[in-house]
Amino acid sequence: MRNTLTLLSPRHSAVVGLAVLLLAAFLARRGPKKFLNKERQQLTLTKKEYISHDTLHLTFTLPKATPVLGLPTGKHFKIFAPNVAGKVKGEWNGREDMSAGEPEIHRMYTPVTSDRDLGKVELVLKAYKGGVNEKFVDGGKLSQHMAALAEGEAITVSGPWGMHEYLGGGVFRSEEHTSE
């Protein structure tokens, strides 16, 4: 039985070779698979350090199957946490608690890392502790939750979310409109 490649003319071999190269370039251009897909997913805290007495630098590991966060510039992701009650029933920091009675809350965050940082996502956030400031007796709901996380624990996130995206070169996309 003859080798199939020997049956191809030099011209056909060049066409097949070019097709293989183009396919490889296309697949390489797509890059690694992105983590954020608008569904709720888990991220594990792998490093927690205090920058100051109330500011944290948190590092979360992305799964090996999806090593890129996939958050365009100008977008954010949501972090979910269990809801907690304030010191005064139905209030949070002296105001009506709009999420009272809800089982969970969410807040939007933008990381300090980009899609060029493979395998991880980092956040820097201020932890608003309850009882420190008399105007904010309850503190921050989600920031206190994040400050209480131990390395190895997971958070639930979803995204990307947001109406605006920076495309570069002074060009923004807002909803369905692109402007310069």
Side-chain angles (χ1 to χ4, degrees):
M1 193 180 272
R2 285 200 237 174
N3 185 339
T4 315
L5 290 176
T6 58
L7 297 177
L8 296 175
S9 70
R11 177 181 276 178
H12 287 111
S13 295
V15 169
V16 170
L18 181 60
V20 168
L21 285 173
L22 289 173
L23 179 62
F26 172 76
L27 293 175
R29 187 174 163 204
R30 289 178 52 198
K33 191 171 178 188
K34 295 178 180 173
F35 175 75
L36 292 174
N37 61 10
K38 302 240 178 184
E39 302 293 323
R40 288 181 180 222
Q41 301 181 80
Q42 300 282 306
L43 286 174
T44 302
L45 179 64
T46 52
K47 187 176 179 186
K48 176 181 177 180
E49 60 184 320
Y50 277 87
I51 296 172
S52 71
H53 71 284
D54 63 356
T55 305
L56 294 126
H57 180 199
L58 305 172
T59 304
F60 297 89
T61 301
L62 294 167
K64 288 185 182 186
T66 52
V68 172
L69 181 62
L71 188 68
T73 302
K75 302 276 186 176
H76 56 267
F77 60 86
K78 294 179 185 178
I79 298 178
F80 299 87
N83 195 4
V84 292
K87 295 182 191 289
V88 176
K89 186 176 180 169
E91 290 186 10
W92 190 264
N93 292 323
R95 296 185 180 139
E96 179 185 358
D97 184 354
M98 303 305 285
S99 60
E102 296 293 324
E104 74 177 1
I105 58 167
H106 72 270
R107 300 289 185 269
M108 283 64 129
Y109 286 89
T110 302
V112 295
T113 49
S114 73
D115 282 354
R116 292 185 192 126
D117 299 297
L118 299 179
K120 67 180 179 178
V121 58
E122 297 177 16
L123 293 171
V124 172
L125 62 93
K126 182 171 179 163
Y128 294 96
K129 297 177 183 170
V132 174
N133 183 324
E134 63 186 47
K135 290 183 179 181
F136 303 103
V137 295
D138 297 308
K141 282 190 179 187
L142 203 112
S143 70
Q144 289 181 93
H145 172 77
M146 298 293 283
L149 286 174
E151 290 179 2
E153 291 186 302
I155 60 169
T156 302
V157 301
S158 74
W161 302 107
M163 295 173 25
H164 310 291
E165 180 180 347
Y166 181 66
L167 303 175
V171 179
F172 292 83
R173 180 183 309 146
S174 296
E175 302 263 322
E176 298 298 321
H177 178 71
T178 302
S179 64
E180 293 185 43

